[in-house]
Every structure is written in structure tokens, then in C-alpha cells.
Amino acid sequence: ETGVTQTPRHLVMGMTNKKSLKCEQHLGHNAMYWYKQSAKKPLELMFVYSLEERVENNSVPSRFSPECPNSSHLFLHLHTLQPEDSALYLCASSQDLGAYEQYFGPGTRLTVT
Amino acid sequence: QKEVEQDPGPLSVPEGAIVSLNCTYSNSAFQYFMWYRQYSRKGPELLMYTYSSGNKEDGRFTAQVDKSSKYISLFIRDSQPSDSATYLCAMSTFSGNTGKLIFGQGTTLQVKP
């Protein structure tokens, strides 16, 4: 295991639901990331946090709302999603912002019906 | 034009074959070049990284960077069924501490026994 855990591993939700994805890192890292992985597309960086402060928001729709209460935990709150939001959502951490080695969790497979 | 281009495959080879995986890129400011490996139902993990141009070898794996051609490669010698995975190239400028990773689409490799 990489030291980054994500829950739930699978999630099916309707377009009117509200749900949250959780990420926890046990590595003592200072930076955390949310990525979206869709089939045949590159990993899309969504949000970046450094020392609990959001430093990047890559033009992500407001139906995705991140939260970083401390340097070990990261959440992604979801509401009124669209079917095209179905994807694998990956959380990652790195020692510091911009480090080339990022440690990824196993991801949450999200299906929006 | 995408910043990083990678043939998604799939690529199928017999056990023991030499595998060549490649990426091209357009941003000449990239200085750090990484290869991540992603097994099914897992997050990506860093396999190798190279700074600037040149070769780097680690066991059966060799990473090459040709900045003049904006082309990077990963070679796998004596490929094994356990090498079956998706291989993602990633690049970064790492200017100060604001650099972020730009990923290719990933190439799916299957090594048949």
C-alpha cells in the first residue's frame, strides 16, 4: 500500500444526490491533490492543497467542492453531478508542493446515473 | 495540440519481449520526466524519473529523454506478465514550487505468458 487511502472505493449516485469522497494520507506530506481519470484521457488535475490551503483550482465546475481540514485529510463534496462526471477520482499526496513523486490512492470509481 | 501525447495502445507482447513506450511533448520548458505505472484497480505509482536529457537505467527498465526532439521513451527488457499495466508518462517544469505534473493518456501493456 502507498500510504494513501480513499473511501468509498465505488460509488453510484443519482444526479440529485449529495455525496463526499474521502482521502487520508499517512505519510506526513504537505501537499494533496485531486485528479479525475477518464478512459483514454490524461489525468486531469482538479485541485491542489498545500498545508491545508488551496493553491490551484483548475476550472472545475462548482458541483465539485473540495475541503482540506488538516494536512492528512482531503474531501471532495459532490452535488448535482452529470453523467459525464462518471470517472475514477484519484487522490494523491507529495512531500511538498511540486515534488515530482506523488503517491496515489487506489481511487473512487464514481458512476452518475 | 495536447501538451503531452501518448499512444493509448493497447500493446500486447509475448513474455521476454523488449517493450518500447513513448511520449512526445510540446512544451520545451519541461525539465522533469517521469514514468508512472498503474495496475488495474490501483492508483499510479512512480516507476522512474529523469531530469533533463539522457538515459537512466533501473534493472530491466531504461528511461530515455531527448529534449531536442521532445521525445521520451521507456524500455522494458525481458518483459514479464507482471509488467502488464498502464504506463503513464508525466512531465513538469517545476519552476519554484508551483510546478505541476502533466500526464499523457497512458499506454496499456499486456505481456502474455
Side-chain angles (χ1 to χ4, degrees):
Chain A
E1 295 300 323
T2 63
V4 180
T5 58
Q6 289 187 245
T7 54
R9 294 292 308 274
H10 300 273
L11 179 62
V12 180
M13 59 186 289
M15 289 191 284
T16 58
N17 291 157
K18 290 184 180 181
K19 296 287 185 182
S20 295
L21 310 183
K22 179 182 176 182
C23 174
E24 184 173 0
Q25 59 99 354
H26 312 273
L27 302 168
H29 288 170
N30 295 318
M32 296 188 77
Y33 311 80
W34 277 117
Y35 287 90
K36 176 183 179 183
Q37 187 174 37
S38 304
K40 304 298 185 185
K41 294 177 71 174
L43 281 176
E44 299 175 44
L45 180 64
M46 301 175 71
F47 300 104
V48 182
Y49 278 83
S50 177
L51 297 171
E52 302 139 47
E53 182 177 335
R54 191 190 309 181
V55 297
E56 182 122 6
N57 176 351
N58 262 11
S59 302
V60 178
S62 59
R63 57 186 183 268
F64 295 92
S65 175
E67 179 189 1
C68 188
N70 56 61
S71 59
S72 298
H73 293 86
L74 188 64
F75 294 89
L76 188 63
H77 304 298
L78 317 171
H79 65 98
T80 59
L81 294 191
Q82 304 298 310
E84 60 265 28
D85 297 323
S86 298
L88 182 67
Y89 287 85
L90 291 161
C91 172
S93 70
S94 63
Q95 184 61 61
D96 295 297
L97 185 66
Y100 64 82
E101 183 164 20
Q102 295 185 7
Y103 293 76
F104 286 82
T108 296
R109 174 67 62 185
L110 173 67
T111 303
V112 181
T113 60
Chain B
Q1 182 184 12
K2 295 178 184 175
E3 277 194 284
V4 179
E5 297 269 7
Q6 184 177 10
D7 185 341
L11 180 62
S12 182
V13 302
E15 183 176 354
I18 296 175
V19 176
S20 173
L21 304 170
N22 312 292
C23 288
T24 59
Y25 62 94
S26 58
N27 186 349
S28 58
F30 287 141
Q31 300 175 61
Y32 289 82
F33 304 90
M34 282 70 67
W35 286 96
Y36 279 78
R37 178 175 61 194
Q38 185 175 20
Y39 289 114
S40 180
R41 290 184 291 278
K42 299 275 191 178
E45 59 177 347
L46 181 66
L47 185 61
M48 295 187 74
Y49 86 95
T50 309
Y51 173 70
S52 193
S53 283
N55 293 0
K56 188 170 186 177
E57 189 172 320
D58 184 2
R60 296 185 294 109
F61 298 88
T62 299
Q64 285 186 353
V65 175
D66 182 348
K67 292 190 72 177
S68 62
S69 301
K70 297 190 180 68
Y71 189 86
I72 71 170
S73 301
L74 177 70
F75 297 96
I76 307 174
R77 291 183 298 280
D78 187 25
S79 56
Q80 303 295 308
S82 58
D83 295 327
S84 298
T86 298
Y87 291 80
L88 305 158
C89 63
M91 308 177 189
S92 180
T93 59
F94 284 116
S95 55
N97 64 351
T98 59
K100 60 183 180 184
L101 301 184
I102 307 299
F103 285 87
Q105 294 172 277
T107 300
T108 299
L109 171 67
Q110 183 180 26
V111 181
K112 295 184 175 180

